[in-house]
Each structure stands twice: as C-alpha cells, then as structure tokens.
Amino acid sequence: MMTTINLDMLNELQAINKKLVSGYHISEQDTTLWQELDQQIESYQALFAALGHDLQHDARGFYYLASDESTPNMGKISRAIALTIYILIEHYANQGKDPLRVLFDESCDLELMQTIVQLNKHLFDQLEIFSGSDLRKDVFLRMVRLGLAREVEQGFMLLAPIYRYIDALMEVNEEQYDIEDEL
C-alpha cells in the first residue's frame, strides 16, 4: 500500500530531516518537532523510507533514524557513550542506588565525571579520555548534539534515547551469559 505524502502538511520537514540525518534523536523535550512527528508519523516514515532511511519510533518517547553505524568515527563515539553509560550504571549500583532511576533523575556534573574517569582509568585511557573535562567535551557534549542528553546548570541530564545504549548493553550481557552457559 502506497502512502500519499502531502508535503504541505509536513511543516517541520526541513528541521526534522536536518536533525535526524545528523544522528540526532528527537524526544519530547524537542516539543515542536516531536509533536509534528507524533501527528504525521506515517507520512514521515514513508518519506524517509523513499529516501532510503528507516525512521524509528521508540515507545519510550523518541524518534531516530536506524543506521548500520558504518562510519568508523561514529563507532568510536558510540563506544565512548556506551562505556560511559555502562560505568554510570555500575557506579550508581555500587552506591546502592537504583541505576536506571538515578540515570534519568540526577544530573551528571563535572565532579561525578572526574570520579568515574579516575575509577575506570584503564577503560577511559583506551578512548583517550583522561579527565572529567575530557569526558564532558568528548562524550557529554556529543550526547547533547545527538539528542541523548541536555545541558543543565549543574551538568547534564540524560534523556530517553539513552535506552538504545542500555538495550545494547543488555543484549551484550545476555550473549555473555549464553556463552558462559555453553562452556
């Protein structure tokens, strides 16, 4: 079945296209763009599909273009983000907190960044991140550009699209257990 697309109805097409194609995740904080996608999702999905993109809507409150992450640079950024989230989850768990709640409810400030870099020096060294300010510049500011976090007065608040990384970490974890079960 062909979806007829009325381009005149897609008021935010240019802004949405620019954000999504750059790897940005549009979530509820991007009020105008998010509402536009929410109301016109079939048209946008059809249009992006015609352009060779796969526009995904995650029920946890965000839109993004699925990709095969073929660019090596993106791979490095993704690894740095995934590692940071993994370490934050571990850090909160070690403090006896509910990691998933704290991840979204508390801001990540420079002091926290400094702490996790010091505690996980061997891992961050591999990514050429040597301090809290490196982490801020190389990971958190990139997360803002990708719609994964927003900058607040005290630091950064993580946003719903972070679930993509949490899902990936869970998958890796399950595969790890499957391998151990087979041994």
Side-chain angles (χ1 to χ4, degrees):
M1 193 194 95
M2 242 348 246
T3 304
T4 307
I5 304 166
N6 180 352
L7 292 177
D8 296 332
M9 296 292 291
L10 307 183
N11 302 324
E12 301 295 331
L13 177 59
Q14 208 170 353
I16 287 171
N17 181 57
K18 189 177 177 196
K19 290 261 189 206
L20 291 174
V21 168
S22 75
Y24 188 87
H25 296 69
I26 295 174
S27 54
E28 294 178 26
Q29 70 162 50
D30 305 296
T31 318
T32 310
L33 303 184
W34 193 83
Q35 286 173 342
E36 168 87 359
L37 281 168
D38 213 39
Q39 289 157 9
Q40 305 279 351
I41 187 59
E42 288 85 11
S43 296
Y44 277 102
Q45 282 177 324
L47 182 59
F48 278 105
L51 297 170
H53 296 295
D54 179 11
L55 174 60
Q56 293 286 322
H57 174 229
D58 189 293
R60 293 169 291 195
F62 58 94
Y63 295 90
Y64 65 97
L65 291 183
S67 73
D68 52 7
E69 291 205 7
S70 49
T71 58
N73 191 26
M74 191 58 211
K76 185 184 178 200
I77 295 165
S78 281
R79 281 195 305 276
I81 293 170
L83 176 68
T84 303
I85 291 162
Y86 175 77
I87 287 172
L88 279 171
I89 290 171
E90 204 173 56
H91 178 73
Y92 292 136
N94 290 342
Q95 292 183 322
K97 297 177 179 176
D98 172 352
L100 286 185
R101 204 177 55 71
V102 178
L103 210 54
F104 295 104
D105 290 353
E106 290 182 18
S107 66
C108 300
D109 60 11
L110 198 54
E111 189 182 342
L112 174 61
M113 292 178 206
Q114 193 64 42
T115 303
I116 65 171
V117 169
Q118 284 169 346
L119 291 174
N120 300 278
K121 185 180 174 348
H122 60 292
L123 295 172
F124 281 113
D125 280 356
Q126 295 169 23
L127 296 168
E128 296 172 37
I129 293 171
F130 306 109
S131 68
S133 48
D134 284 351
L135 188 60
R136 179 185 184 282
K137 180 172 58 75
D138 295 345
V139 177
F140 281 90
L141 288 174
R142 281 221 172 88
M143 285 202 257
V144 170
R145 286 203 297 273
L146 293 171
L148 304 173
R150 66 188 164 95
E151 205 162 353
V152 293
E153 208 176 305
Q154 324 77 303
F156 296 87
M157 294 297 293
L158 299 182
L159 300 170
I162 286 294
Y163 278 116
R164 286 189 67 198
Y165 289 90
I166 295 170
D167 293 347
L169 291 168
M170 301 300 242
E171 269 176 45
V172 169
N173 213 5
E174 281 171 23
E175 286 168 19
Q176 193 81 36
Y177 285 122
D178 291 346
I179 292 168
E180 286 169 11
D181 289 346
E182 290 168 14
L183 296 177

